[in-house]
Amino acid sequence: MEWFAHKWDIIDQLTPFLLQGLWTTFKISIVAIFFGSMLGFILGVLKTLQIYPLEKLINTYLHLLRGSPYLVQLYIVYFVFPSFNISWLNFDSFTAAVVSLSLYTSSYVTEIVASAIFAVPTGQSEASRSVGMTKAQAYRYVILPQALKMTIPPMASVYVIVIKSTAVLSVIGIAELTRQGEVAIMRMPGDIMFIYSLIAIFYFFYCFPVLRFSKWAETRFGSIGIDLK
Amino acid sequence: MGWLQSVFNFRIVSQYWEVFAQGIVNTILISAVCLILSLSLGILVALGRRSSNPLIWRPLAVYIQAIRSTPLLIQIYLIYYGLPALLPFGNFLNETQTGIIALTIHTTPYMGEIIRAGLESVHRGQIEGALSVGMTPRQTMTNVVLPQAIANVVPPLLGQTAVLIKDTSLLSIIAVFELMGAGLRMFSETVIATESYVTTAVCYLAIYAMMLGLSGLVQRKLGGSAWQEN
């Protein structure tokens, strides 16, 4: 009973502190998914235009981001960019977190948008061209509306990936959920396991509904068979 | 060449080539061990997940969802601080072994889900056909289902392996010496960020390029329907 009271005491003390961290996690992940989706959408559409040098360039960009761990990308944005001596690349830690996470997100979104556009049957674009639409009009009125609907389920999975990646930001001292937990552990070093389990539960209640939504959306909007890692 | 030296100092990098080579070797070794372990456990998870006994599949479903909904970093911390307390004879594991256990626990559900999707991709008629010609369920599995499932499963497995290799970088946080650890060591000794971290990134990209080459090779050898979209 005493054990239980002690643990309840910890939960009672730490919850506001951890919720603060969860709020930062939420903010960063929302901003990153927003900018990452914008960039990813543009790159994804450009990729489907199949203009030779541009496509190669985008593929190289994707390989660079998919081939290296997010931790390394974060260190490069946070430590290497400032050494270029360009004033606006001198990020503070929050900006570095958002920039690196947005770039990382964009690599996923680009592939999703591109494969969704490719998944729209070619007859759709041929038909719109044959009724006299320009290529831009065909994209705007026929292809993109159908393609974007198909991106909803994988985008939810990407959002979970983004949330989980924010845990890594604790290494550059962003006060998000994991970092707040580490600070709490410095105050109560006897309860490491309990506090980490508490953080895990917080993450779980944040991510699990989004994963369920993704699964539901797949039955609702259909799957484009893209496999997210 | 003076300007190039000021942008990227190759001389300092060349002084650290042994550290990075050791890092690459460790990263590949850790990934290989985790791959073998998580693949074998993943097969068990996939089979258990298909079981009709709720005492088997329900706990596995909880395990899979718990891993997928929490960050790897938290899982590593939980294993790193929690595992020693569970061991009967004190902590006889070093960081690398703890890291391998954490990564295996993290990767197994992903592998399991890939294998399960592969098993489900085999047409029902194949199983019925095999059973009706008198094969035992075991024979059906080894001679009919698995050979077809493997062809469908290899491409996503290679993708997951690439993720596994990248995930090993997080082990540097619990002081495992691998590629990221090599970069961190160079940075802490020389305090030059560009050379340390760009070299680390280039090494990871080299491993990734090797993986891409390997998957091209497998693709030509194996075929299978799952390759078509790329």
Side-chain angles (χ1 to χ4, degrees):
Chain A
M1 211 50 222
E2 199 175 316
W3 181 88
F4 188 77
H6 173 64
K7 298 295 178 200
W8 181 254
D9 209 38
I10 297 175
I11 296 179
D12 201 40
Q13 273 185 39
L14 286 187
T15 303
F17 190 63
L18 292 181
L19 278 179
Q20 222 178 344
L22 191 63
W23 173 238
T24 311
T25 297
F26 175 76
K27 269 193 303 191
I28 291 184
S29 61
I30 287 286
V31 175
I33 192 105
F34 177 75
F35 286 116
S37 304
M38 304 271 269
L39 181 59
F41 175 76
I42 295 168
L43 291 178
V45 171
L46 288 178
K47 195 181 165 188
T48 57
L49 296 178
Q50 291 176 307
I51 306 164
Y52 173 73
L54 195 65
E55 205 188 347
K56 269 270 182 277
L57 216 62
I58 293 173
N59 279 338
T60 311
Y61 172 79
L62 292 180
H63 279 313
L64 285 179
L65 285 171
R66 294 310 269 298
S68 57
Y70 175 60
L71 186 59
V72 176
Q73 296 167 17
L74 177 65
Y75 277 137
I76 286 183
V77 171
Y78 188 51
F79 290 116
V80 177
F81 278 18
S83 70
F84 296 157
N85 284 327
I86 304 167
S87 58
W88 59 270
L89 280 178
N90 254 323
F91 300 130
D92 60 5
S93 58
F94 189 86
T95 323
V98 168
V99 168
S100 63
L101 205 50
S102 303
L103 293 176
Y104 182 64
T105 313
S106 74
S107 74
Y108 288 103
V109 180
T110 304
E111 271 177 30
I112 290 171
V113 170
S115 29
I117 291 176
F118 282 133
V120 175
T122 42
Q124 296 283 328
S125 74
E126 284 162 8
S128 17
R129 294 306 297 277
S130 68
V131 296
M133 286 184 177
T134 62
K135 201 165 184 180
Q137 282 173 324
Y139 261 85
R140 166 76 183 76
Y141 295 107
V142 180
I143 300 168
L144 286 182
Q146 298 181 57
L148 287 185
K149 221 163 66 180
M150 287 188 276
T151 62
I152 294 172
M155 280 302 289
S157 314
V158 169
Y159 186 53
V160 172
I161 294 176
V162 173
I163 298 167
K164 291 196 283 182
S165 304
T166 56
V168 175
L169 298 177
S170 60
V171 300
I172 61 166
I174 302 272
E176 42 70 70
L177 187 50
T178 307
R179 181 75 197 150
Q180 292 290 85
E182 282 166 5
V183 173
I185 284 165
M186 282 171 207
R187 272 197 292 165
M188 315 175 178
D191 294 293
I192 293 184
M193 278 304 285
F194 185 72
I195 293 173
Y196 275 130
S197 313
L198 211 59
I199 301 171
I201 291 169
F202 271 83
Y203 274 115
F204 182 83
F205 280 117
Y206 188 7
C207 294
F208 186 62
V210 187
L211 276 177
R212 287 315 285 258
F213 169 78
S214 166
K215 209 166 179 189
W216 170 83
E218 217 163 80
T219 55
R220 174 77 178 69
F221 301 112
S223 161
I224 44 174
I226 190 164
D227 204 23
L228 288 173
K229 297 293 147 39
Chain B
M1 290 301 277
W3 65 273
L4 192 60
Q5 283 289 331
S6 68
V7 176
F8 196 92
N9 194 338
F10 287 100
R11 191 178 296 158
I12 291 183
V13 174
S14 69
Q15 282 170 6
Y16 276 87
W17 79 268
E18 276 174 327
V19 177
F20 279 103
Q22 189 62 47
I24 292 177
V25 169
N26 282 8
T27 289
I28 292 177
L29 281 180
I30 293 172
S31 311
V33 174
C34 284
L35 178 65
I36 293 166
L37 289 177
S38 61
L39 256 185
S40 358
L41 291 173
I43 292 172
L44 293 181
V45 167
L47 293 176
R49 191 70 182 74
R50 282 159 61 89
S51 149
S52 53
N53 185 348
L55 282 178
I56 296 175
W57 72 258
R58 276 196 192 277
L60 284 176
V62 171
Y63 165 54
I64 292 170
Q65 295 298 355
I67 295 291
R68 279 159 58 121
S69 311
T70 50
L72 171 61
L73 188 58
I74 299 292
Q75 293 161 15
I76 291 175
Y77 281 143
L78 278 173
I79 302 287
Y80 184 62
Y81 292 111
L83 193 62
L86 297 175
L87 294 172
F89 310 111
N91 188 9
F92 52 84
L93 296 171
N94 62 26
E95 287 88 358
T96 310
Q97 288 155 345
T98 316
I100 286 174
I101 292 173
L103 259 186
T104 304
I105 290 176
H106 172 80
T107 312
T108 298
Y110 291 96
M111 295 294 186
E113 290 294 274
I114 290 172
I115 293 165
R116 183 161 75 110
L119 290 175
E120 275 164 12
S121 72
V122 177
H123 198 270
R124 176 110 209 110
Q126 298 277 330
I127 301 166
E128 284 162 4
L131 290 173
S132 70
V133 296
M135 286 186 177
T136 63
R138 182 185 293 266
Q139 284 174 324
T140 309
M141 199 56 165
T142 52
N143 296 333
V144 178
V145 178
L146 280 183
Q148 297 184 61
I150 286 170
N152 289 333
V153 136
V154 167
L157 278 187
L158 284 170
Q160 191 61 47
T161 308
V163 175
L164 172 66
I165 293 169
K166 291 192 286 173
D167 281 346
T168 57
S169 67
L170 285 184
L171 296 182
S172 65
I173 293 173
I174 58 166
V176 175
F177 182 76
E178 33 67 75
L179 192 42
M180 187 73 229
L184 290 174
R185 179 188 289 181
M186 180 177 171
F187 181 66
S188 66
E189 285 174 15
T190 61
V191 208
I192 44 174
T194 312
E195 283 76 358
S196 313
Y197 295 133
V198 171
T199 311
T200 313
V202 168
C203 291
Y204 274 111
L205 289 171
I207 300 178
Y208 177 72
M210 265 169 20
M211 282 290 299
L212 278 185
L214 186 71
S215 75
L217 209 73
V218 176
Q219 175 180 8
R220 255 171 281 141
K221 200 98 184 154
L222 210 65
S225 59
W227 290 107
Q228 253 136 45
E229 39 202 271
N230 296 324

